[in-house]
Amino acid sequence: MDDRFSYYRIVLQLVLTEVQRQFLFKEATDKKPNESCALLFGKKENDKLIVRDVFLAENVEESPVNFTISNEQLILGYKEAEEKGLDVIGIFHSHPSSDPYPSATDKKFMEINPVAWVIFSDITKSFKAYMFESKVIEIPIIR
Ligand SMILES: [Zn+2]
């Protein structure tokens, strides 16, 4: 694997509107002290992953440091995305008490879920996005 090649191959940006940010911020706040989670529906257009809809999911772990979306909710989410003519382009979750960087558990699951991972940190009040492409890389979020 040529590292320079994989570096230049990644030119993706994630588009998250102000309204979507506020919606996810509210969900993260409502679910404190636990992590909140959601599926992000949208489309990939050229080099942009454009979020069009947010599907709120339950964190069945009810944990402040981990999240799990049940298989039932995943099936429901993928079905709803399909009905809306959209793809599941991302997974959102919040970090109520840590920075917006993937935990060791997040990284493990990122490897098997090759979508954008959007993390909101209640510490920094900021959103960050990542993808796994032979390693975890950050992708810029634009409005
Ligand atoms: Zn996490």
Side-chain angles (χ1 to χ4, degrees):
M1 171 65 83
D2 185 337
D3 263 359
R4 283 170 302 165
F5 178 70
S6 66
Y7 177 80
Y8 287 111
R9 203 150 50 96
I10 303 300
V11 287
L12 281 178
Q13 292 178 311
L14 185 112
V15 182
L16 195 63
T17 67
E18 196 55 46
V19 170
Q20 290 162 346
R21 287 167 202 243
Q22 283 170 14
F23 186 68
L24 292 169
F25 173 74
K26 183 180 183 303
E27 175 69 0
T29 304
D30 288 350
K31 293 291 155 68
K32 278 199 296 189
N34 295 331
E35 292 194 1
S36 60
C37 49
L39 299 178
L40 305 176
F41 297 168
K43 281 283 171 196
K44 183 171 180 287
E45 290 176 17
N46 301 315
D47 60 344
K48 291 190 172 68
L49 289 168
I50 303 172
V51 178
R52 299 257 189 243
D53 209 349
V54 176
F55 179 89
L56 296 180
E58 286 300 316
N59 176 4
V60 294
E61 289 195 55
E62 295 185 4
S63 158
V65 291
N66 274 309
F67 79 99
T68 299
I69 301 174
S70 70
N71 284 332
E72 289 77 12
Q73 286 221 306
L74 283 175
I75 291 165
L76 206 65
Y78 274 82
K79 188 165 165 274
E80 192 174 308
E82 197 183 332
E83 283 166 3
K84 292 180 169 176
L86 299 170
D87 301 316
V88 176
I89 58 164
I91 295 171
F92 164 83
H93 75 285
S94 63
H95 283 178
S97 52
S98 63
D99 287 337
Y101 302 108
S103 66
T105 310
D106 292 338
K107 285 179 182 167
K108 193 177 75 184
F109 284 102
M110 285 174 76
E111 282 196 54
I112 51 175
N113 292 291
V115 295
W117 279 59
V118 177
I119 302 176
F120 171 77
S121 164
D122 206 52
I123 300 299
T124 62
K125 309 286 184 204
S126 60
F127 292 86
K128 297 266 188 197
Y130 305 87
M131 268 189 117
F132 187 85
E133 270 275 345
S134 67
K135 62 182 165 71
V136 174
I137 52 143
E138 185 177 345
I139 55 176
I141 307 182
I142 60 172
R143 280 176 169 83

